[in-house]
């Protein structure tokens, strides 16, 4: 007997963690972790003030600021990013690594979403965006 899947935190989380595990395995040979991947992707668009990157990653991963500063330090230590007076930017090595990450993401995305009809994918994206907005609103309402 087959049951209809339920859209809830558990099913969303399982999809997230399975996809994240694929990504982490794909980027492990590059010597980067998930937090570094997120930072590399932000920096690929151009130089960013460290505080702006910290806000972006803390709001995405729901981690504290010291964890993001550790990511920044690890990127600079690995010569993937350079921190000057006002901004953090990718080095040539960082650009090359981020390009390889983007290729890995594109491959995973192509395999996982290949046969999902566009209209269904659009509906799922809208629903997940709404759930994320609602969860973020609730988080913002909780005193720190």
């Amino acid at each position: 007997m087959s049951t209809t899947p339920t859209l809830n935190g558990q099913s969303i989380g399982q999809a997230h963690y399975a996809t994240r595990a694929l990504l982490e395995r794909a980027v492990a040979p590059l010597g980067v972790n998930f937090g570094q991947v997120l930072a590399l992707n932000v920096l690929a668009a151009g130089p960013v003030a460290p505080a702006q990157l910290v806000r972006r990653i803390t709001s995405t991963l729901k981690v504290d600021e010291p964890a993001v500063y550790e990511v920044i330090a690890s990127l600079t230590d690995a010569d993937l990013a350079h921190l000057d007076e006002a901004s953090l930017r990718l080095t040539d090595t960082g650009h090359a690594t981020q390009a390889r990450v983007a290729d890995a993401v594109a491959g995973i995305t192509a395999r996982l979403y290949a046969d999902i009809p566009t209209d269904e994918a659009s509906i799922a994206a809208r629903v997940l965006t709404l759930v994320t907005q609602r969860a973020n609103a609730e988080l913002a309402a909780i005193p720190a």
Side-chain angles (χ1 to χ4, degrees), residues 102-129:
D103 288 344
V105 169
I108 292 167
T109 301
R111 291 188 307 276
L112 297 182
Y113 295 86
D115 62 349
I116 298 174
T118 304
D119 59 332
E120 290 184 28
S122 294
I123 292 167
R126 284 194 306 272
V127 169
L128 292 174
T129 298

Side-chain angles (χ1 to χ4, degrees), residues 16 21 64 71 126 130:
H16 162 75
D64 60 9
V71 169
R126 284 194 306 272
L130 180 59

Side-chain angles (χ1 to χ4, degrees), residues 41-110:
N41 287 340
V42 171
L43 294 173
V48 175
Q52 182 181 357
L53 179 63
V54 168
R55 280 191 304 275
R56 176 96 179 259
I57 302 299
T58 56
S59 69
T60 300
L61 288 182
K62 310 300 184 231
V63 297
D64 60 9
E65 290 183 7
V68 182
Y69 282 109
E70 287 179 25
V71 169
I72 292 171
S74 70
L75 292 175
T76 59
D77 290 347
D79 192 37
L80 297 174
H82 173 73
L83 179 61
D84 62 25
E85 296 170 9
S87 64
L88 187 65
R89 67 185 71 243
L90 290 180
T91 63
D92 290 343
T93 303
H95 279 289
T97 301
Q98 194 281 327
R100 292 179 67 192
V101 167
D103 288 344
V105 169
I108 292 167
T109 301

Side-chain angles (χ1 to χ4, degrees), residues 7-32:
L7 178 64
N8 58 26
Q10 182 178 4
S11 62
I12 293 168
Q14 288 172 345
H16 162 75
Y17 286 116
T19 304
R20 181 173 170 172
L22 284 172
L23 176 62
E24 288 176 340
R25 288 179 186 164
V27 301
L30 304 176
V32 294

